[in-house]
Amino acid sequence: MTTPICDFVQKYIFENPLRLHMPGHKGRDIFGTPLSAAYPYDITEIKGADSLFEASGIIAESEKNAASLFHTAETVYSAGGSTLCIQAMLDMVCGAGGRVAAVRNCHRAFVNAAALLDLDVLWVYPEYEGGSLLSGRVTVEMAENAILSGEKPDCFYMTSPDYLGKIYDVRGIAEVCHKHGVPLIVDNAHGAHLAFLSENIHPIALGADLCCDSGHKMLPVLTGGAYLHIGNPKFAGMAKAAMSRYGSTSPSYLILQSLDMCNKYLSEGGIKQIRSAANMLNCLKKELSAVYRIEETEPLRMTVSALECGLYGHQLADILRESGIECEYADETHVVLLFSPVFGKAEIDRLKAAMKSVRMPRILLQSPKYEGYAPKKAMSIRQAAFAPSENISVDDAEGKICSGVRTACPPGVAVIVSGEVIDKETIKILKRYSIFDVNVVK
Ligand SMILES: Cc1ncc(COP(=O)(O)O)c(C=O)c1O
């Protein structure tokens, strides 16, 4: 597969012109850092380099390559992560002041976009499972009830895989959305690789109208590199204008080159590596499940329900850290370990040895319960997010309206969103997620 962006930059470096254009480092690392080799590649929109939000040259060509790999009607790049894609998707489908039915275990990028666009959000609360607010069950029936519960939403929004790696019934939910003429947007930030498994279970293949993938999360792409995929041709040609409303006008060409190179990687062996990594991790999960409670997740992730092994998640993460293993995320209940196609047997063996050396106390630890947790709304997300506010201790916050809350990222899933009333339960949960202060509306 061609790499037009990389080829252009390579040629430019070879020609060695006097760089009388941005960026100010002029391709030279005057600090002599380990990043020296990257500086010459960090270019900007010079002649021939195309322009991300008005792409018609090398970027457009590279995006077409990605669209053919992901089997989409259109794919556009983001150098601002899935965060920018989420803003753009909601802008395209709902516009300002629109209405969206959204599954609650969404990333804060959604809540921030809702504040920017003044969206009216109808929350669909999952049936929380495994003692975590990050994951739960959402049925087709729950989605249909939400769609029919009032004024028709402009879209249905869900996250799959969720932060713990659980995959939802995107196909079933897409069918019910389309039955009622409602587009489905999926936050697939954690699932770019799902298009390349032996069965394509990427949201676009399952019927989503739009989705975002953080290439940087699960594929060998630099941080910030993401895809906005369009499945429904009705939305083709709209993404660039929407993205340009929120993204920097100076997107990183380093990120764009890594997205460009990833196309070549996928078409020349990367897909095989994804499948092989998934198989290896699957075998390890089977072996470890004799000792650990391993959650059912997407194939490149291992989520351990630590509490069920008699350990808190952060304790298990600390033990693994002593063996030189750094996890993606740990909280009271779970530890999330992310695998990758760039890993092979050596990494599997290292993880296996570390996991097998953990001594588990096997005491019964109580899982938190979140059934019925649904904070009351007092004002819109936008009103509360932009209202004059003050930062107070969560202990003093009962009865106050949340303006904004620090949502640790990862996992970036909001315990309470702007405009909702903080009650005793919220305070307990915030503390459980180690959040001790909150911004409230003055
Ligand atoms: C589920 C989910 N959606 C969206 C995002 C935002 O993605 P990005 O960091 O690529 O902007 C994240 C980031 O962690 C995420 O976990």
Side-chain angles (χ1 to χ4, degrees):
M1 185 161 271
T2 59
T3 50
I5 308 177
C6 296
D7 296 352
F8 174 84
V9 179
Q10 199 70 59
K11 185 164 170 282
Y12 187 68
I13 292 170
F14 179 76
E15 286 167 355
N16 195 24
L18 179 62
R19 296 190 181 198
L20 295 181
H21 60 75
M22 297 172 207
H25 58 64
K26 309 295 179 192
R28 298 175 192 173
D29 176 14
I30 58 161
F31 312 114
T33 70
L35 294 177
S36 290
Y39 274 69
Y41 295 83
D42 183 35
I43 63 155
T44 187
E45 289 93 348
I46 49 175
K47 189 165 168 48
D50 210 357
S51 171
L52 180 58
F53 300 135
E54 298 86 26
S56 61
I58 55 172
I59 296 176
E61 193 189 323
S62 181
E63 289 175 329
K64 280 205 181 88
N65 285 344
S68 80
L69 285 163
F70 284 91
H71 303 289
T72 61
E74 185 184 11
T75 290
V76 301
Y77 291 157
S78 160
S82 282
T83 302
L84 176 59
C85 302
I86 290 167
Q87 291 164 338
M89 292 190 294
L90 292 167
D91 178 313
M92 288 159 68
V93 178
C94 307
R99 180 173 156 81
V100 44
V103 180
R104 176 72 175 205
N105 61 339
C106 60
H107 189 261
R108 69 178 187 201
F110 170 82
V111 180
N112 290 338
L116 282 176
L117 285 162
D118 194 16
L119 299 180
D120 177 18
V121 182
L122 168 71
W123 292 113
V124 179
Y125 286 88
E127 290 165 11
Y128 292 116
E129 288 169 338
S132 177
L133 265 188
L134 308 181
S135 192
R137 211 165 76 92
V138 178
T139 62
V140 170
E141 203 187 351
M142 287 158 78
E144 185 161 37
N145 287 344
I147 289 168
L148 298 177
S149 70
E151 194 191 324
K152 189 162 110 176
D154 296 309
C155 73
F156 191 89
Y157 180 97
M158 64 190 289
T159 307
S160 177
D162 66 24
Y163 202 79
L164 296 189
K166 182 187 165 75
I167 294 187
Y168 293 69
D169 182 3
V170 174
R171 192 193 296 280
I173 293 176
E175 275 167 16
V176 82
C177 283
H178 296 154
K179 184 171 111 187
H180 297 291
V182 173
L184 173 65
I185 297 181
V186 178
D187 174 350
N188 182 53
H190 294 262
H193 57 297
L194 300 182
F196 308 110
L197 301 172
S198 40
E199 183 194 349
N200 180 352
I201 53 165
H202 189 269
I204 295 295
L206 302 181
D209 293 85
L210 296 162
C211 88
C212 62
D213 306 351
S214 294
H216 68 90
K217 291 193 197 297
M218 303 304 291
L219 295 175
V221 167
L222 287 180
T223 297
Y227 309 92
L228 192 168
H229 298 298
I230 292 155
N232 182 346
K234 179 180 143 190
F235 296 107
M238 296 166 66
K240 295 283 182 184
M243 270 190 167
S244 72
R245 281 194 264 280
Y246 312 94
S248 164
T249 54
S250 305
S252 160
Y253 269 79
L254 295 178
I255 293 174
L256 296 178
Q257 284 164 83
S258 79
L259 286 162
D260 190 40
M261 195 44 87
C262 191
N263 293 333
K264 187 172 163 70
Y265 165 78
L266 288 167
S267 65
E268 293 177 7
I271 294 177
K272 216 165 122 203
Q273 281 188 9
I274 290 172
R275 292 180 188 174
S276 151
N279 283 339
M280 278 190 283
L281 189 61
N282 189 35
C283 293
L284 177 63
K285 286 192 217 176
K286 280 195 182 136
E287 192 177 333
L288 292 177
S289 61
V291 185
Y292 288 93
R293 166 84 160 74
I294 312 275
E295 301 284 1
E296 201 177 308
T297 62
E298 62 84 4
L300 286 187
R301 173 176 315 230
M302 185 158 84
T303 301
V304 183
S305 176
L307 271 192
E308 295 188 41
C309 309
L311 279 170
Y312 290 108
H314 22 78
Q315 280 180 308
L316 177 56
D318 287 344
I319 298 171
L320 290 176
R321 191 170 296 114
E322 280 163 23
S323 306
I325 300 221
E326 191 61 40
C327 71
E328 157 69 16
Y329 171 72
D331 63 15
E332 184 182 0
T333 55
H334 291 89
V335 173
V336 177
L337 303 158
L338 286 193
F339 217 62
S340 155
V342 307
F343 278 172
K345 187 173 174 315
E347 287 81 12
I348 284 278
D349 288 346
R350 206 167 146 192
L351 176 59
K352 187 186 341 189
M355 295 288 286
K356 287 198 160 176
S357 70
V358 176
R359 296 193 42 217
M360 280 168 293
R362 301 233 164 262
I363 356 158
L364 194 62
L365 294 171
Q366 211 68 51
S367 270
K369 299 255 182 296
Y370 297 108
E371 283 95 59
Y373 176 64
K376 300 242 170 337
K377 178 177 164 181
M379 58 172 79
S380 78
I381 294 179
R382 183 183 174 87
Q383 263 179 325
F386 291 107
S389 66
E390 59 183 339
N391 186 262
I392 61 171
S393 157
V394 294
D395 287 320
D396 302 324
E398 191 181 344
K400 307 256 185 200
I401 299 171
C402 174
S403 169
V405 69
R406 271 189 312 104
T407 308
C409 195
V413 174
V415 172
I416 185 156
V417 308
S418 316
E420 292 176 342
V421 181
I422 298 165
D423 63 10
K424 281 201 174 65
E425 180 70 358
T426 311
I427 293 172
K428 214 165 78 192
I429 300 173
L430 285 170
K431 287 181 171 171
R432 185 173 292 139
Y433 282 95
S434 304
I435 297 167
F436 299 103
D437 61 276
V438 58
N439 283 351
V440 296
V441 174
K442 262 204 214 163

